[in-house]
């Protein structure tokens, strides 16, 4: 062995020595466990502090708009499922509201109640997935299992309403796909009770957890002015202290008849975003029960043969029903709104989910634009992580609820 | 034609013939703005105490192929204090699809403008970082233009087998 | 040894090396979830307590391709992610298996346009295709069992 003399420096001496720190480039993704979906985050770090960041998205660009332009008004609904695949029903509702605005029709009240009820279930599923995944990335795997267990109950309700768990295709232009199934009310009451239990359990497990608070409090606080300038909507804007919730400020559907509170935070940090989401889940669960209670009898679809498809018993049972079905599904027939454009927005899981549709008088959308709520959030993430530790990238990213299908469409 | 909301008339009287058209079809207040006036109009809308359109929602484009001017850039704004909504439109010619950026007024429009450049090929004058948003840098063309075939793919790696589906003719774009 | 003389002690089992290896491999799958899209939600459901993929010996996700031997492609593969997917697959050590989870990864699913790849198999070889958009958890488990049968019957090359 080479006999090279080595001098070992004691700890006290190290403290005085200035350690030269080099700037380092760190790449996370595109395939990274803490990145929900595929997104590439590039950061420059000095020591552990992020000094520069850039985000590259587009790995799940599936050409939603181009695909919808080749579809009919009703068949484009399936692509809206796959935008925000955590709360697909809200997407369905938003798209159908825009088409209904173009057509100038209103959905019967029972249909609106049914849509709202299932939307709120979907919102609970969205928030459960978000808070569960966010705390899992901070190391709390047990809490994630709790929320996934609860999410299955949400899926049970959604499955009873439309037959699918995730990609629901629940609404139709002018209503919903089917009336409320038998035994739905008992199922919902039962599951809401269980969901409440899980939310409380999760609350006990996480909200006062020392590690969780240390990792999230004061991380990437956003002032109200900045939040508005960045184009935030939804839980992040409310966490910054602005009570902007479309269900309250621009009430659509039957939200003006429901009693709910719009929770707001104070500092807009990661902890506030979590707390806002937790409270919203409770509000949603209470709204579900209110919908059940207030739901009137009657039809769920518009009674217009040019818009609503006939019942399957009529399609297979008599010639009028068969002709009606044909006229609605054949190329060049079907629903034809007048030329024009419409914007409709709903409160999605991450904020204002808007649809901008242009009709050229044809049987499908000429232009179908989705305003994804998490797109501006991901845009602002650059500013939100600069100046923080590299380990804080994960909670910030978890709190903005990046849904690749929606951001990249 | 629905009744025009007050802020739309105020906007029209403030800017005169630099607002080409106002209407409120389907209750959506809409103003068509001349290209050179868009930044000024946005700044006024954001700051004037009668309008206060502080939240930028959306920026996108529509390709009306065969019409002159061909492109329309559509901006959606919302006012949190007044709960108003407004749609602004800028019409752009096919030969010169360039628009001034509105980032100085609404910083949130940064990525929306990049997306618009990526998918429609509309340039934003003064944008600090006008790269493609979703597609790879080597992508040729702007896919959401109506003359881009829907199934024209541009693979990045050598593929093991053909990607053509049996019904690929049927996904050609419908005639406009 | 006493086997060729027919003297087998009571505690031993006879088998072929191939099927022993296959048996060991099929119940110790370390999977790499390449989650791109909606199917990731169903992957979460399958992996968690309700459906519990751990019962079938594939409960441990490894987030490094070098440590895993089952690539689970959950969701749409776009042309932009294609090189990444290929590289992840290349980095996995043999023996390796690939499962196309859902319609998009199997054949492109509802997406047939300029951005999406028509199935993961135009880029890398796929062993088991699980249809459905997204597949129900039961179908995923069924696909896993099919894959296990395939692993069991695999010949050792050479």
């Amino acid at each position: 062995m080479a006999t090279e003399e080595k001098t070992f420096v004691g700890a006290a001496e190290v403290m005085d020595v200035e350690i030269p720190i080099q700037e380092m480039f760190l790449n996370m993704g595109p395939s990274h466990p803490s990145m929900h979906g595929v997104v590439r985050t590039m950061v420059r770090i000095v020591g552990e502090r992020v000094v520069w960041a850039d985000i590259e998205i587009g790995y799940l660009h599936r050409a939603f708009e181009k695909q919808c332009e080749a579809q009919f008004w009703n068949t484009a609904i399936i692509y809206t499922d796959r935008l925000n695949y955590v709360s697909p029903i809200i997407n369905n509702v938003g798209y159908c509201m825009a088409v209904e605005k173009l057509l100038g029709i209103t959905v019967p009240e029972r249909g609106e109640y049914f849509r709202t009820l299932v939307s709120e279930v979907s919102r609970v599923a969205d928030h459960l997935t978000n808070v569960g995944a966010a705390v899992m990335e901070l190391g709390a795997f047990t809490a994630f299992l709790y929320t996934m267990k609860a999410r299955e109950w949400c899926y049970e309700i959604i499955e009873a309403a439309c037959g699918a768990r995730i990609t629901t295709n629940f609404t139709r232009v002018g209503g919903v796909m089917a009336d409320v199934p038998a035994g739905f009310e008992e199922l919902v009451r039962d599951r809401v009770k269980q969901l409440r239990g899980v939310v409380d359990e999760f609350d006990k497990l996480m909200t006062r957890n020392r590690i969780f608070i240390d990792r999230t409090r004061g991380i990437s606080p956003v002032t109200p002015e900045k939040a508005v300038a960045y184009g935030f909507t939804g839980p992040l804007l409310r966490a910054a202290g602005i009570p902007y919730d479309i269900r309250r400020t621009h009430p659509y559907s039957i939200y003006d008849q429901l009693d709910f509170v719009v929770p707001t935070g104070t500092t807009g940090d990661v902890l506030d975003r979590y707390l806002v989401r937790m409270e919203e889940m409770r509000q949603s669960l209470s709204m579900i029960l209110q919908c059940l209670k207030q739901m009137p009898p009657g039809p769920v679809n518009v009674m217009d043969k040019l818009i609503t498809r006939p019942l399957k018993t009529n399609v297979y049972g008599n010639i009028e029903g068969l002709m009606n079905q044909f006229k609605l599904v054949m190329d060049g027939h079907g629903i034809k709104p007048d030329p024009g454009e419409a914007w409709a927005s709903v409160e999605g899981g991450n904020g204002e989910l808007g649809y901008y549709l242009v009709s050229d008088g044809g049987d499908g959308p000429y232009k179908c634009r989705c305003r994804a709520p998490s797109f501006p959030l991901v845009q602002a993430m650059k500013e939100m992580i600069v100046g923080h530790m590299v380990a804080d990238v994960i909670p910030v990213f978890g709190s903005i609820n990046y849904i690749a299908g929606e951001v990249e469409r | 034609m629905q009744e025009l909301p007050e802020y739309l008339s105020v906007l029209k009287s403030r800017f005169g013939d630099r607002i080409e058209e106002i209407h409120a079809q389907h209750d959506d207040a809409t103003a068509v703005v001349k290209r050179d006036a868009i930044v000024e109009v946005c700044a006024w809308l954001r700051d004037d105490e009668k309008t206060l359109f502080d939240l930028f929602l959306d920026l996108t484009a529509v390709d009306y192929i065969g019409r002159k001017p061909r492109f329309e850039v559509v901006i959606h704004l919302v006012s949190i204090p007044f709960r108003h909504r407004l749609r602004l439109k800028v019409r752009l010619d096919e030969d010169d699809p360039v628009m001034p950026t509105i980032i100085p007024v609404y910083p949130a429009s940064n990525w929306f403008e990049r997306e618009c450049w990526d998918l429609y090929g509309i340039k934003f004058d003064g944008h600090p970082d006008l790269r493609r948003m979703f597609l790879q840098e080597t992508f040729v063309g702007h896919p959401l233009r109506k003359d881009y075939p829907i199934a024209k793919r541009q693979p990045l790696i050598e593929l093991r087998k053909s990607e053509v589906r049996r019904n690929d003719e049927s996904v050609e774009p419908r005639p406009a | 040894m006493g086997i060729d003389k027919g003297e087998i002690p009571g505690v031993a089992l006879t088998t072929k090396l191939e099927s022993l290896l296959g048996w060991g491999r099929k119940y110790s799958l370390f999977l790499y979830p390449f989650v791109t899209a909606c199917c990731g939600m169903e992957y979460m459901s399958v992996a968690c307590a309700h459906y519990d993929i751990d019962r079938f010996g594939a409960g441990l996700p490894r987030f490094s391709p070098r440590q895993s031997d089952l690539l689970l492609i959950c969701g749409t593969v776009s042309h932009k992610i294609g090189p990444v997917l290929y590289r992840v697959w290349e980095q996995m050590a043999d023996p390796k298996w690939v499962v196309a989870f859902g319609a998009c990864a199997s054949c492109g699913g509802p997406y047939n346009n300029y951005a999406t790849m028509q199935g993961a198999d135009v880029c890398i070889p796929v062993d088991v295709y699980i249809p459905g958009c997204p597949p129900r958890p039961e179908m995923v488990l069924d696909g896993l069992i099919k894959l296990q049968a395939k692993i069991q019957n695999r010949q050792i090359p050479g």
Side-chain angles (χ1 to χ4, degrees):
Chain A
M1 266 187 81
T3 52
E4 198 181 318
E5 281 291 312
K6 268 195 174 175
T7 47
F8 291 98
V9 189
E13 289 167 85
V14 168
M15 302 304 273
D16 292 336
V17 177
E18 187 114 328
I19 304 168
I21 302 172
Q22 258 187 342
E23 191 179 284
M24 191 174 110
F25 183 85
L26 185 67
N27 178 45
M28 299 176 175
S31 188
H32 188 269
S34 79
M35 302 283 141
H36 311 216
V38 275
V39 57
R40 186 170 169 210
T41 310
M42 293 159 280
V43 289
R44 280 183 195 285
I45 48 178
V46 171
E48 278 199 61
R49 208 160 282 281
V50 178
V51 292
W52 172 92
D54 195 12
I55 294 160
E56 189 179 350
I57 63 170
Y59 293 99
L60 189 63
H61 178 61
R62 298 191 279 194
F64 164 75
E65 290 182 33
K66 195 85 176 172
Q67 199 78 51
C68 282
E69 285 164 15
Q71 298 288 328
F72 304 126
W73 289 105
N74 257 328
T75 50
I77 297 173
I78 68 141
Y79 292 101
T80 64
D81 291 339
R82 289 154 182 81
L83 287 173
N84 185 340
Y85 36 76
V86 197
S87 53
I89 292 197
I90 305 178
N91 294 259
N92 294 166
V93 172
Y95 172 80
C96 283
M97 274 172 55
V99 184
E100 282 149 15
K101 205 168 167 184
L102 273 176
L103 286 162
I105 53 174
T106 44
V107 179
E109 211 175 20
R110 186 177 174 83
E112 293 278 24
Y113 269 103
F114 194 24
R115 277 183 179 185
T116 308
L117 194 160
V118 190
S119 290
E120 291 306 320
V121 176
S122 200
R123 191 185 315 280
V124 175
D126 182 292
H127 287 356
L128 276 173
T129 314
N130 175 252
V131 294
V135 299
M136 177 189 69
E137 284 151 11
L138 300 180
F141 194 75
T142 317
F144 175 66
L145 291 175
Y146 278 42
T147 59
M148 287 300 111
K149 176 180 75 176
R151 197 179 68 160
E152 289 297 324
W153 296 329
C154 296
Y155 284 162
E156 271 176 41
I157 300 177
I158 293 171
E159 204 177 343
C162 68
R165 288 157 54 88
I166 289 171
T167 45
T168 49
N169 197 8
F170 170 64
T171 56
R172 295 288 181 275
V173 175
V176 295
M177 59 172 284
D179 202 350
V180 183
F184 190 66
E185 195 176 331
E186 295 79 60
L187 175 79
V188 173
R189 281 190 199 287
D190 189 34
R191 293 298 180 249
V192 167
K193 203 173 155 194
Q194 284 174 311
L195 278 166
R196 278 208 168 127
V198 169
V199 173
D200 288 344
E201 238 173 9
F202 189 85
D203 208 19
K204 275 185 206 155
L205 201 60
M206 293 311 302
T207 308
R208 295 182 59 197
N209 184 314
R210 187 75 239 164
I211 303 169
F212 179 67
I213 291 176
D214 282 350
R215 287 291 304 268
T216 54
R217 181 180 278 166
I219 302 300
S220 87
V222 177
T223 59
E225 297 77 34
K226 274 217 160 159
V228 172
Y230 286 151
F232 281 16
T233 46
L236 267 72
L237 185 63
R238 293 194 280 276
I242 296 180
Y244 178 73
D245 185 325
I246 310 179
R247 293 174 291 175
R248 179 56 53 77
T249 55
H250 306 89
Y252 58 96
S253 198
I254 46 101
Y255 280 107
D256 48 351
Q257 294 166 36
L258 299 179
D259 179 29
F260 65 100
V261 179
V262 178
T264 50
T266 48
T267 55
D269 59 2
V270 177
L271 183 64
D272 268 7
R273 296 170 201 165
Y274 160 81
L275 292 173
V276 165
R277 284 206 171 91
M278 289 302 284
E279 184 54 36
E280 271 183 31
M281 270 196 270
R282 296 211 168 88
Q283 296 297 332
S284 289
L285 289 173
S286 123
M287 270 188 261
I288 293 167
L289 292 183
Q290 289 175 43
C291 281
L292 268 188
K293 205 172 169 189
Q294 297 174 16
M295 195 185 278
V300 286
N301 275 307
V302 177
M303 285 293 160
D304 186 342
K305 284 192 172 167
L306 292 173
I307 290 166
T308 308
R309 288 198 193 176
L311 289 174
K312 282 283 177 264
T313 48
N314 288 342
V315 178
Y316 299 125
N318 55 52
I319 186 69
E320 288 81 13
L322 187 64
M323 275 313 292
N324 193 352
Q325 169 87 4
F326 248 72
K327 287 293 279 180
L328 283 175
V329 300
M330 288 306 284
D331 205 348
H333 297 266
I335 305 167
K336 285 186 178 173
D338 292 334
E341 53 199 340
W343 166 276
S345 52
V346 291
E347 181 69 26
N350 293 332
E352 178 157 0
L353 175 73
Y355 284 93
Y356 171 63
L357 301 180
V358 177
S359 163
D360 61 344
D363 53 359
Y366 185 76
K367 155 98 185 167
C368 175
R369 160 79 180 175
C370 164
R371 189 265 178 195
S374 39
F375 189 61
L377 306 182
V378 181
Q379 171 178 218
M381 198 187 136
K382 247 190 257 188
E383 279 88 22
M384 274 151 62
I385 56 177
V386 169
H388 288 280
M389 297 289 189
V390 69
D392 297 334
V393 175
I394 305 303
V396 173
F397 201 75
S399 74
I400 64 174
N401 198 9
Y402 175 86
I403 305 291
E406 177 183 77
V407 176
E408 299 161 13
R409 291 181 288 277
Chain B
M1 187 65 64
Q2 265 99 4
E3 210 171 288
L4 292 176
E6 197 201 334
Y7 54 91
L8 206 53
S9 327
V10 174
L11 178 72
K12 175 75 183 164
S13 59
R14 170 74 176 72
F15 284 94
D17 58 352
R18 286 194 284 173
I19 308 288
E20 290 175 17
E21 189 189 324
I22 49 171
H23 68 78
Q25 190 193 31
H26 300 301
D27 275 341
D28 291 346
T30 307
V32 183
V33 185
K34 282 214 166 119
R35 179 170 70 176
D36 309 326
I38 183 72
V39 181
E40 208 183 317
V41 168
C42 284
W44 183 79
L45 283 170
R46 186 191 62 181
D47 296 331
D48 193 86
E49 56 190 19
K50 277 193 198 122
T51 49
L52 283 178
F53 282 98
D54 45 1
L55 185 62
F56 169 88
L57 277 187
D58 191 24
L59 183 146
T60 184
V62 191
D63 177 7
Y64 293 104
I65 193 165
R67 197 194 280 184
K68 269 197 181 214
R70 178 174 166 183
F71 295 106
E72 232 172 38
V73 175
V74 186
I75 300 168
H76 284 90
L77 303 174
V78 76
S79 155
I80 295 176
F82 292 117
R83 305 180 178 187
H84 294 153
R85 286 178 185 283
L86 178 63
R87 177 189 301 145
L88 296 176
K89 284 185 179 184
V90 180
R91 293 192 173 135
L92 298 176
D93 220 20
E94 188 178 353
D95 313 320
D96 184 27
V98 184
M99 193 189 123
T101 177
I102 57 165
I103 295 177
V105 188
Y106 295 111
S109 76
N110 187 328
W111 275 22
F112 289 89
E113 288 176 6
R114 274 177 69 188
E115 182 192 348
C116 203
W117 156 248
D118 186 1
L119 303 179
Y120 282 98
I122 290 168
K123 277 208 180 95
F124 288 85
D125 209 9
H127 192 287
D129 183 24
L130 200 64
R131 283 176 292 153
R132 281 190 180 270
M133 186 81 248
F134 296 140
L135 295 163
Q136 58 269 28
E137 285 295 330
T138 52
F139 199 89
V140 180
H142 300 283
L144 281 194
R145 290 190 173 188
K146 291 276 177 187
D147 47 10
Y148 190 93
I150 183 171
K152 186 182 169 193
R153 303 191 174 87
Q154 303 187 12
L156 286 172
I157 49 171
E158 203 182 323
L159 301 178
R160 294 172 66 239
K161 62 184 202 186
S162 162
E163 280 196 287
V164 178
R165 281 205 206 175
R166 213 162 14 151
N167 59 349
D168 252 4
E169 310 84 62
S170 65
V171 291
E172 287 301 306
R174 279 199 314 273
Chain C
M1 295 290 282
I3 291 177
D4 41 314
K5 290 180 195 157
E7 298 166 7
I8 306 172
V11 289
L13 289 169
T14 55
T15 178
K16 285 188 291 182
L17 180 65
E18 279 174 5
S19 57
L20 178 70
L21 275 177
W23 178 81
R25 278 173 182 160
K26 75 174 180 181
Y27 291 129
S28 62
L29 288 169
F30 284 17
L31 47 90
Y32 180 89
F34 190 83
V35 174
T36 59
C38 334
C39 291
M41 296 297 118
E42 280 298 22
Y43 169 71
M44 277 163 141
S45 296
V46 177
C48 286
H50 220 85
Y51 291 95
D52 198 8
I53 203 169
D54 209 1
R55 292 177 295 165
F56 302 89
L60 199 61
R62 306 304 302 170
F63 289 105
S64 162
R66 292 174 206 281
Q67 295 171 355
S68 49
D69 44 22
L70 169 60
L71 179 61
L72 209 58
I73 306 166
C74 310
T76 317
V77 182
S78 69
H79 278 293
K80 195 174 176 182
I81 198 79
V84 180
L85 176 64
Y86 188 77
R87 195 155 161 193
V88 165
W89 175 76
E90 256 188 340
Q91 285 178 350
M92 288 168 64
D94 269 328
K96 58 187 169 191
W97 294 274
V98 180
V99 170
F101 188 124
C104 287
S106 301
C107 67
Y111 294 97
N112 185 6
N113 55 44
Y114 61 87
T116 50
M117 204 176 263
Q118 298 303 291
D121 56 355
V122 301
C123 161
I124 57 172
V126 172
D127 290 288
V128 172
Y129 300 85
I130 306 175
C133 190
R136 293 185 61 88
E138 294 88 341
M139 285 173 74
V140 181
L141 297 178
D142 183 52
L144 182 73
I145 292 166
K146 293 242 168 24
L147 178 76
Q148 286 174 339
K150 196 170 176 175
I151 295 171
Q152 175 73 73
N153 297 330
R154 180 179 155 131
Q155 303 285 316
I156 294 172

